[in-house]
Amino acid sequence: MAEVTLFLAGDVMTGRGVDQILPHPGPPALREQAVTDARRYVELAESVAGPVPRPAPPEWPWGDALRLLEAERPDVRIVNLETAVTARGEYAAGKGIHYRMHPANLPCLTAARLDVCALANNHILDFGPTGLADTLDALHTAGLRTAGAGRDADEAWEPAAVRLDGGGRLLVWSVGAPSSGVFPQWAATDGRPGVAYLPEASVASAEALADRIARRSGPADLVVVSVHWGSNWGHEVPDEHVAFAHALVDAGVHVVHGHSSHHPRRIERYRGRLILYGCGDLIDDYEGIGGQEEYRPELRLLHLPTLDAATGELRRLRLVPVRMRRMRLNPATPDEARWLTDLLNDLSTPHHTRFTLTDTTLTLAP
């Protein structure tokens, strides 16, 4: 295999309103200050875009993204799953928002033929250790690999491994930082379930993670680090995030897959390797929620980097824009694709990264 093409996405949040439109919704009760019934989020979406089928087929939230992915034929599909998959567990204390999807709705995830779910994020323990155990069991039973969370530290820090044609492997580590809302007490230990917790995004923490990676990876392996970091809104990327990502690449990591922001952030090609500082959301129930219109969060991206299978260097990067409407992903319009192109070109200026637009697909310029 001379090349490996990945599908990378940010937050996939199939709980709350999304769970309510699927064939087997869990109880709709919420403990949020403003909304106490998850069905309210469906009503908000309907108020701006029209009726949403209830129940909707499991593949509904993915919409046209499934057709677009089939056309691109990625070798490995990786998302940040920011939802517990459970019907049990206690609401995590100290949180204003909790996400869970009923396990019977797991076909919503398998419909996208996902290979790896990164789990080191600020919602995977929303229903405690019981909810986390259910999530791991449900995903593994469905054939989905996980990284970043486990019943103890060994499992949480274990990379997801995907065999590639030609004999190599793609290894995925998932880590979560406090800047994204991951609690320190969610860190997995020898005797406690939890996540692969990154106390800070620093050069020192990158070097420690790189040492861990070096002990598990071989010269023929491609390595992705999926990191949940930073704020939900805003285009700024802290200097320490840049330094962390650069240190990982300097140590041999091939792709840094960042997420947490609800909209895209800058993209960098550093030493021939890909750094995504914020992929933005892919699936959520935010449609109809006002207050952040300047970011146009209804616009989403399918990230499709193609790597050299031997060196991990980035050969091509295609971004396919989609938009959420009626809680379903649809192709973006030419004007929406142009807006995203201008945005990413502006944001990525510090890294001399530019995209060209062909039809409605963004391509990283040489």
Side-chain angles (χ1 to χ4, degrees):
M1 171 181 278
E3 295 182 337
V4 177
T5 296
L6 309 179
F7 161 54
L8 299 171
D11 300 350
V12 170
M13 309 168 81
T14 53
R16 213 166 62 175
V18 177
D19 183 61
Q20 291 303 303
I21 69 168
L22 294 174
H24 305 283
L30 301 175
R31 295 189 177 183
E32 299 177 13
Q33 185 174 2
V35 178
T36 58
D37 190 313
R39 291 169 293 192
R40 176 59 181 155
Y41 288 103
V42 184
E43 294 169 356
L44 288 170
E46 292 178 324
S47 72
V48 297
V52 176
R54 286 187 259 181
E59 67 274 13
W60 176 268
W62 297 94
D64 287 296
L66 296 182
R67 174 180 56 81
L68 295 168
L69 286 173
E70 285 306 304
E72 297 290 341
R73 301 174 63 87
D75 298 292
V76 183
R77 304 180 183 205
I78 305 168
V79 304
N80 174 57
L81 179 62
E82 202 164 355
T83 302
V85 183
T86 183
R88 306 188 303 153
E90 299 295 326
Y91 287 82
K95 300 202 70 193
I97 296 175
H98 301 80
Y99 284 100
R100 66 174 161 187
M101 178 180 75
H102 195 283
N105 285 327
L106 199 64
C108 178
L109 298 180
T110 57
R113 294 172 50 204
L114 302 176
D115 293 291
V116 178
C117 293
L119 301 182
N121 58 60
N122 60 311
H123 284 291
I124 202 64
L125 275 159
D126 277 359
F127 290 88
T130 298
L132 175 59
D134 286 353
T135 301
L136 294 169
D137 288 343
L139 295 174
H140 295 165
T141 298
L144 299 175
R145 303 167 183 85
T146 62
R151 294 170 178 81
D152 55 27
D154 285 344
E155 186 177 12
W157 286 97
E158 179 76 10
V162 181
R163 289 284 175 186
L164 302 173
D165 292 344
R169 298 183 302 173
L170 181 82
L171 301 181
V172 181
W173 272 266
S174 169
V175 295
S179 58
S180 67
V182 180
F183 294 141
Q185 59 268 32
W186 282 16
T189 67
D190 289 345
R192 182 178 67 193
V195 303
Y197 180 70
L198 189 74
E200 61 180 2
S202 66
V203 171
S205 63
E207 291 173 345
L209 177 55
D211 288 343
R212 185 185 293 271
I213 291 171
R215 293 194 295 270
R216 294 301 311 274
S217 61
D221 294 329
L222 298 179
V223 174
V224 175
V225 171
S226 187
V227 54
H228 201 62
W229 58 1
S231 61
N232 289 335
W233 303 104
H235 290 129
E236 292 301 315
V237 174
D239 290 343
E240 54 266 30
H241 288 192
V242 177
F244 175 88
H246 286 187
L248 285 179
V249 172
D250 291 342
V253 169
H254 301 105
V255 176
V256 178
H257 170 220
H259 37 77
S260 179
S261 59
H262 294 317
H263 52 84
R265 285 184 171 145
R266 69 171 84 160
I267 294 174
E268 182 180 10
R269 179 168 45 196
Y270 172 71
R271 298 185 62 183
R273 309 278 174 86
L274 176 63
I275 300 173
L276 302 169
Y277 286 101
C279 287
D281 287 355
L282 186 62
I283 291 176
D284 59 29
D285 61 359
Y286 290 2
E287 189 180 1
I289 301 175
Q292 304 292 347
E293 289 82 358
E294 65 183 290
Y295 298 107
R296 301 193 69 176
E298 74 278 5
L299 301 182
R300 320 287 166 88
L301 289 168
L302 311 178
H303 301 77
L304 295 156
T306 297
L307 312 181
D308 184 292
T311 67
E313 289 196 2
L314 181 66
R315 289 189 173 178
R316 294 181 301 280
L317 173 61
R318 287 163 51 80
L319 306 178
V320 180
V322 291
R323 73 168 338 267
M324 184 64 73
R325 184 176 181 275
R326 297 174 61 226
M327 302 186 74
R328 181 182 186 274
L329 292 174
N330 300 270
T333 67
D335 284 345
E336 291 167 339
R338 192 173 302 110
W339 186 89
L340 282 167
T341 304
D342 292 342
L343 173 70
L344 286 176
N345 283 339
D346 181 57
L347 295 179
S348 303
T349 296
H351 305 303
H352 308 289
T353 303
R354 288 198 63 78
F355 290 88
T356 58
L357 179 63
T358 303
D359 296 325
T360 56
T361 299
L362 291 68
T363 303
L364 182 64

